[in-house]
Amino acid sequence: MYLWNSHALAAVLLMSAPHAIVSLSCTQFSPSPVPIPQLPDYFSPHHYLDATTLFHTEAIRQTLTLYPYIIDGRAFPSLSSIFATDAVANYSAPLGVLNGLSTIAATLEQALASFPATQHLLGPQTVRICDSKKAISVTYYRAVHLLPQNGTVGPGNILGGDSVLYAYGQYQDTWEKRDGLWKIVYRNLVYMAPLVTGIN
Ligand SMILES: *[C@@H]1O[C@H](CO)[C@@H](O)[C@H](O)[C@H]1NC(C)=O
Ligand SMILES: *[C@@H]1O[C@H](CO)[C@@H](O)[C@H](O)[C@H]1NC(C)=O
């Protein structure tokens, strides 16, 4: 009788919690993209409570901060500072799943070649250090792509465009520490809205 009552109480408590705190395992984070409502279950605040974690988190944050410099600066060979040689990146349609650093670099270079300029702004970011060799992160981004006008294409021709293409999305990255450096081994680029054009 007492047992039944405590179970009933537990059931009521669970039901009254709007969203019970769950901690999902890092191994579930890839390869499939994580639905946005599940993200809090991977990044609950109790993961951030010691200094070693913060040290690695900052190393990952600084590494990922190179990404806009490399993409917007068309320094594609430097993607090797961020992605492991055998990294796999799902950039969503139309680029799809890219296997290996050289394919990722070549595909991004070609995809961005027609924009006179781009700017990738990184937004909210969470990093979870799973163990001494593995981590996961989510980073919101918004990317502004200047559209070419009058057939003017190629980097550096910033005056060519007064209309722009906006991309809204997030990078869901799985990291491994290799030879002392954190590198992305799996990326899901998840769009959060359709690509939209506007006036700059
Ligand atoms: C790649 O990402 C897209 C968009 O998030 C998703 O629909 C697709 O299932 C992913 N593909 C793989 C192989 O995970
Ligand atoms: C595009 O071409 C039109 C027609 O030649 C010209 O009037 C306009 O100034 C050009 N725009 C740019 C941005 O070069």
Side-chain angles (χ1 to χ4, degrees):
M1 202 76 81
Y2 173 76
L3 202 60
W4 185 89
N5 279 336
S6 64
H7 280 182
L9 179 62
V12 167
L13 285 174
L14 275 177
M15 282 189 304
S16 62
H19 185 74
I21 298 202
V22 208
S23 191
L24 294 178
S25 156
C26 286
T27 57
Q28 296 166 262
F29 192 70
S30 57
S32 296
V34 176
I36 297 170
Q38 264 184 28
L39 290 174
D41 298 336
Y42 283 95
F43 297 98
S44 63
H46 75 263
H47 290 122
Y48 310 114
L49 298 179
D50 72 85
T52 310
T53 296
L54 292 179
F55 174 85
H56 291 296
T57 297
E58 186 59 15
I60 286 172
R61 195 186 302 284
Q62 295 282 355
T63 303
L64 195 59
T65 301
L66 296 176
Y67 184 78
Y69 307 156
I70 293 169
I71 296 297
D72 299 329
R74 322 279 170 133
F76 297 98
S78 297
L79 283 173
S80 61
S81 301
I82 302 176
F83 289 97
T85 311
D86 57 350
V88 177
N90 179 0
Y91 267 79
S92 299
L95 300 184
V97 179
L98 312 174
N99 281 290
L101 169 63
S102 54
T103 303
I104 295 168
T107 306
L108 294 182
E109 179 167 12
Q110 191 189 15
L112 294 167
S114 60
F115 299 108
T118 57
Q119 187 188 44
H120 287 68
L121 297 172
L122 302 184
Q125 181 182 62
T126 44
V127 179
R128 172 174 164 190
I129 307 302
C130 306
D131 59 41
S132 61
K133 297 273 182 224
K134 183 165 178 154
I136 59 176
S137 67
V138 172
T139 308
Y140 273 27
Y141 76 90
R142 182 173 302 175
V144 183
H145 307 70
L146 267 70
L147 292 170
Q149 292 200 333
N150 291 0
T152 312
V153 293
N157 205 344
I158 292 173
L159 294 176
D162 57 14
S163 58
V164 292
L165 178 73
Y166 294 104
Y168 303 88
Q170 54 183 274
Y171 306 115
Q172 299 182 353
D173 295 321
T174 300
W175 300 75
E176 280 182 21
K177 197 161 171 234
R178 304 227 183 127
D179 300 326
L181 291 173
W182 288 100
K183 298 273 178 80
I184 295 170
V185 292
Y186 202 99
R187 157 166 288 187
N188 276 300
L189 183 159
V190 180
Y191 285 112
M192 300 174 70
L195 295 170
V196 292
T197 52
I199 302 297
N200 194 22

